[in-house]
Amino acid sequence: MKKYTKEHQWIELADNGTAKVGITKFAADELGEITFIELPSVGKTVHGNEQLCVVESVKAASDVFMPATGNITEVNSPLEKDPSALNDDPEGAGWICIVKDVIATDLDALMDESQYAEFCK
């Protein structure tokens, strides 16, 4: 199940209780070529709507916000050397982090794929 925020982040829950988090294609397109990402720290708990990390593009520096509260267990460290996956495949290989212990009620306020597509129109 994948859910989206109005700030153009996504969270996708896996069967094992973890979830991947990233930015949407819409966000990547709006940012332009992403040149740098400051990844979050493994082991840190980030609450829903709190700053997760910062991305810099040729246009601007932008905060990325956490879609739902969770504890970061892994970051996509190859992005530090080559952030191009954030533009090339933002909802696949360009994921930012994996979290566990996601607060399920935080997900209720998020949009599903069809709601997000309508929101972006």
Side-chain angles (χ1 to χ4, degrees):
M1 171 180 63
K2 194 179 249 187
K3 297 282 207 154
Y4 299 86
T5 71
K6 291 180 179 180
E7 292 77 27
H8 306 287
Q9 283 84 51
W10 57 267
I11 184 168
E12 183 172 24
L13 275 72
D15 292 336
N16 66 359
T18 64
K20 283 186 179 175
V21 175
I23 63 171
T24 65
K25 178 168 177 15
F26 182 92
D29 290 347
E30 288 293 304
L31 286 166
E33 182 186 346
I34 297 171
T35 57
F36 174 79
I37 182 168
E38 179 185 324
L39 290 169
S41 301
V42 171
K44 181 178 180 184
T45 297
V46 182
H47 297 277
N49 297 319
E50 283 185 352
Q51 180 188 27
L52 176 64
C53 65
V54 175
V55 294
E56 293 180 11
S57 71
V58 293
K59 292 183 180 179
S62 299
D63 292 334
V64 176
F65 297 96
M66 186 69 167
T69 301
N71 184 6
I72 299 168
T73 60
E74 185 179 342
V75 295
N76 192 353
S77 54
L79 293 177
E80 289 180 311
K81 288 186 179 176
D82 182 12
S84 64
L86 288 165
N87 289 109
D88 298 341
D89 191 13
E91 296 189 43
W95 58 273
I96 293 171
C97 66
I98 296 176
V99 297
K100 67 176 184 175
D101 303 326
V102 174
I103 304 296
T105 54
D106 287 358
L107 299 173
D108 295 340
L110 303 179
M111 296 175 274
D112 64 23
E113 191 171 353
S114 62
Q115 291 168 322
Y116 181 70
E118 186 65 28
F119 173 76
C120 290
K121 285 183 181 178

